[in-house]
Amino acid sequence: MHFLMGTPLPRKLLILEFYTLTRVLLFIMLLSSSLASSCPKGCHCSERNGLTVVQCAARNLDSIPQDLPRDTVALLLSSNLIRNIPNQAFKNLPRLQELDLSRNRIETVDAAAFQGVSDTLRTLDLSNNLIQSVPKEAFARLHAKIRLSDNPWHCECTLQEVLRELQLDPETVNEVSCHTSSLEGHAGKPVIQVLDSGINFCNFHHKTTDVAMFVTMFGWFTMVIAYVIYYVRHNQEDARRHLEYLKSLPSTSQISKDFDTISTVL
């Protein structure tokens, strides 16, 4: 009796295990299918701590993909052909922590490029691009560790103000160099070294602005003086001509004599 009742037990366990395994496999398949369907075309998506890592490196992309999963935690876009980071390019990625845009052809970074991820972003790599300058607002309120090395930076006041607010990666900070400079003698030198030497690009900028304003005001003043001189000389010429005209008119005594002669004759 016990034998008869006990024999089905292993089968039940086997069926239960098979059913559980089937459900797990089905869940994994559904998860993989869902992940694959939301992954940008040409990219590879994987999972990290329940969030999505999007790998789009070396895919000949000329712009940042638009159909990124909202739970993207890392976006790897290195070694592509991207030229510009537009405003709010990552606004739909509220969990983004790692952003790699190195080894592209980026020339411009719009003022609101990182708006929406300033609080979550932890690492930002913009090294090995073609960036010469960025707006002061571009990196506003970013708490990320940033790599800006190997770009053809133009060292001037705006760049100085930008770097003052950033947390540069200490491993690459000396590789952020002046390709060109608003002051002579600093091209090719690390920006930090130039600034640490006491150079202040903003003072030079203010002096240049003051000189330009002085030159402009002097130009306007010269124009006003020239106009006044022209106006006076022109009026003097008119006055001289008017005086000559008056002198050419018959005098009152001559008119009286002519009138008396006519009266006598009559």
Side-chain angles (χ1 to χ4, degrees):
M1 184 69 177
H2 291 287
F3 177 77
L4 293 176
M5 294 180 62
T7 51
L9 187 58
R11 293 182 180 178
K12 289 182 178 180
L13 289 175
L14 184 60
I15 293 173
L16 180 61
E17 290 178 359
F18 177 77
Y19 177 71
T20 303
L21 181 61
T22 302
R23 292 185 64 183
V24 171
L25 290 175
L26 181 61
F27 175 76
I28 293 175
M29 290 175 63
L30 290 174
L31 181 62
S32 300
S33 175
S34 175
L35 191 61
S37 62
S38 62
C39 195
K41 183 179 179 180
C43 299
H44 173 72
C45 293
S46 58
E47 183 266 343
R48 179 198 295 175
N49 298 327
L51 300 174
T52 303
V53 175
V54 182
Q55 172 61 264
C56 298
R59 304 301 169 97
N60 291 322
L61 300 176
D62 58 7
S63 62
I64 297 170
Q66 299 297 310
D67 51 345
L68 294 164
R70 284 187 60 84
D71 65 341
T72 298
V73 66
L75 178 57
L76 310 177
L77 291 165
S78 63
S79 303
N80 280 291
L81 307 174
I82 300 170
R83 292 183 177 274
N84 168 252
I85 307 178
N87 287 325
Q88 300 182 340
F90 314 100
K91 65 177 181 178
N92 295 321
L93 306 178
R95 299 185 179 182
L96 186 63
Q97 296 182 13
E98 179 183 349
L99 179 58
D100 186 356
L101 286 160
S102 62
R103 301 184 183 280
N104 276 273
R105 299 180 182 178
I106 298 171
E107 297 177 352
T108 57
V109 180
D110 291 351
F114 304 104
Q115 191 174 72
V117 295
S118 57
D119 293 331
T120 61
L121 203 59
R122 294 294 173 263
T123 61
L124 172 61
D125 194 343
L126 289 169
S127 60
N128 290 278
N129 279 286
L130 302 175
I131 308 172
Q132 296 183 18
S133 63
V134 291
K136 289 187 293 185
E137 301 82 6
F139 300 130
R141 296 182 296 277
L142 272 180
H143 305 294
K145 185 181 294 184
I146 302 176
R147 291 192 173 196
L148 298 175
S149 56
D150 297 310
N151 280 282
W153 293 106
H154 176 63
C155 289
E156 38 77 41
C157 182
T158 301
L159 180 61
Q160 177 179 323
E161 292 179 343
V162 167
L163 294 180
R164 185 183 302 161
E165 305 297 329
L166 295 185
Q167 181 184 352
L168 290 177
D169 179 22
E171 296 180 1
T172 62
V173 65
N174 290 322
E175 298 172 11
V176 183
S177 301
C178 299
H179 182 71
T180 56
S181 173
S182 59
L183 297 175
E184 294 184 2
H186 301 295
K189 296 181 180 180
V191 180
I192 297 301
Q193 177 183 327
V194 173
L195 296 179
D196 287 346
S197 67
I199 298 298
N200 191 327
F201 292 101
C202 293
N203 282 347
F204 175 77
H205 173 75
H206 294 322
K207 290 179 181 178
T208 304
T209 303
D210 293 342
V211 170
M213 184 176 296
F214 174 77
V215 170
T216 302
M217 292 180 64
F218 181 78
W220 278 105
F221 182 74
T222 303
M223 290 177 62
V224 170
I225 295 299
Y227 177 77
V228 170
I229 293 173
Y230 169 78
Y231 180 79
V232 170
R233 287 183 177 178
H234 182 74
N235 283 351
Q236 285 179 342
E237 184 66 20
D238 286 346
R240 186 183 63 80
R241 290 177 180 176
H242 185 66
L243 182 60
E244 289 180 354
Y245 171 75
L246 292 177
K247 287 180 179 180
S248 66
L249 293 176
S251 63
T252 305
S253 58
Q254 182 66 35
I255 294 176
S256 300
K257 289 180 180 181
D258 292 343
F259 183 77
D260 291 340
T261 302
I262 293 172
S263 299
T264 304
V265 171
L266 292 176

